Amino acid sequence: QQQVKQSPQSLIVQKGGIPIINCAYENTAFDYFPWYQQFPGKGPALLIAIRPDVSEKKEGRFTISFNKSAKQFSLHIMDSQPGDSATYFCAASDESAGGTSYGKLTFGQGTILTVHP
Amino acid sequence: DAGVTQSPTHLIKTRGQHVTLRCSPISGHKSVSWYQQVLGQGPQFIFQYYEKEERGRGNFPDRFSARQFPNYSSELNVNALLLGDSALYLCASTRTGGHQPQHFGDGTRLSIL
């Protein structure tokens, strides 16, 4: 119930394309959903995050769509560029969790995105 | 301002040894979390510390321990190292505890021979 399932494992698009990465969760207590971008040799960097009270959030070329009833959320990257080539992780947490789950982010397995010039 | 800094960047140990990894949070941040990232997978939560107390703990054996110092820096200790402990160990900081946006360092790459 604590898992976050992410797909696809890898994705190749041409420059200007719109890659879409999907995540699904089971724990209905999750109420904070961030996306992270990770380049080789670097730590994950926070891109954008959403809470269940909104269905969509945009920041620059990055858009999160959220479907609470389906327990799914996705990341869209508009006008993708070769510099966007990286591994993307979705994550989820229960902000009211206490005990051992306090502060815990549960990550998906990651999607390796390649944007060809 | 400097981001989260971790040391060392790389470390090679042999089975059975112990290791200490260090993390300095962003200035003004009082909480530190530790994650283990095995190659090809997402990070797995190990601990969160806030105001020098353990607040959260993931599903890791007692060989893993941590502490936070008065200046909010933190150490992760792993005893009796196993081959399976080979991973990237990430530290993240937040201004206060809980689920505020977590900002990650670049990690320590630990290799066990």
Side-chain angles (χ1 to χ4, degrees), chain A residues 36 38 43 94 99-100 102-103, chain B residues 37 48 55 57 99 102 105-106:
Chain A
Y36 284 85
Q38 187 175 29
D94 171 6
T100 57
Y102 186 85
Chain B
Q37 186 177 21
Q48 186 179 87
R55 298 297 189 98
R57 185 183 186 101
H99 304 268
Q102 298 191 19
D106 289 336

Side-chain angles (χ1 to χ4, degrees), chain B residues 8-23:
Chain B
T9 54
H10 295 86
L11 204 50
I12 299 175
K13 293 286 188 178
T14 56
R15 282 178 296 175
Q17 286 188 311
H18 72 271
V19 68
T20 298
L21 310 180
R22 294 176 176 84
C23 171

Side-chain angles (χ1 to χ4, degrees), chain B residues 12 14 16 20 25 28 30 38 41 45-46 48 50 80 88-89 91-92:
Chain B
I12 299 175
T14 56
T20 298
K30 299 180 178 181
V38 173
Q41 297 184 20
F45 177 72
I46 308 175
Q48 186 179 87
Y50 176 51
L88 180 68
Y89 288 85
C91 174

Side-chain angles (χ1 to χ4, degrees), chain A residues 18-22 35 61-65 74-78:
Chain A
I18 305 176
I20 301 172
I21 304 170
N22 300 297
W35 284 88
R61 296 184 294 109
F62 300 95
T63 299
I64 302 179
S65 298
S74 60
L75 176 71
H76 298 60
I77 305 175
M78 306 302 177

Side-chain angles (χ1 to χ4, degrees), chain A residues 60-89:
Chain A
R61 296 184 294 109
F62 300 95
T63 299
I64 302 179
S65 298
F66 187 83
N67 185 330
K68 187 175 180 179
S69 61
K71 292 183 287 186
Q72 295 176 348
F73 58 110
S74 60
L75 176 71
H76 298 60
I77 305 175
M78 306 302 177
D79 187 27
S80 59
Q81 302 295 314
D84 295 329
S85 297
T87 301
Y88 291 81
F89 292 96

Side-chain angles (χ1 to χ4, degrees), chain B residues 34-51:
Chain B
W34 287 95
Y35 289 80
Q36 180 196 65
Q37 186 177 21
V38 173
L39 195 62
Q41 297 184 20
Q44 297 287 319
F45 177 72
I46 308 175
F47 292 111
Q48 186 179 87
Y49 276 75
Y50 176 51
E51 292 286 10

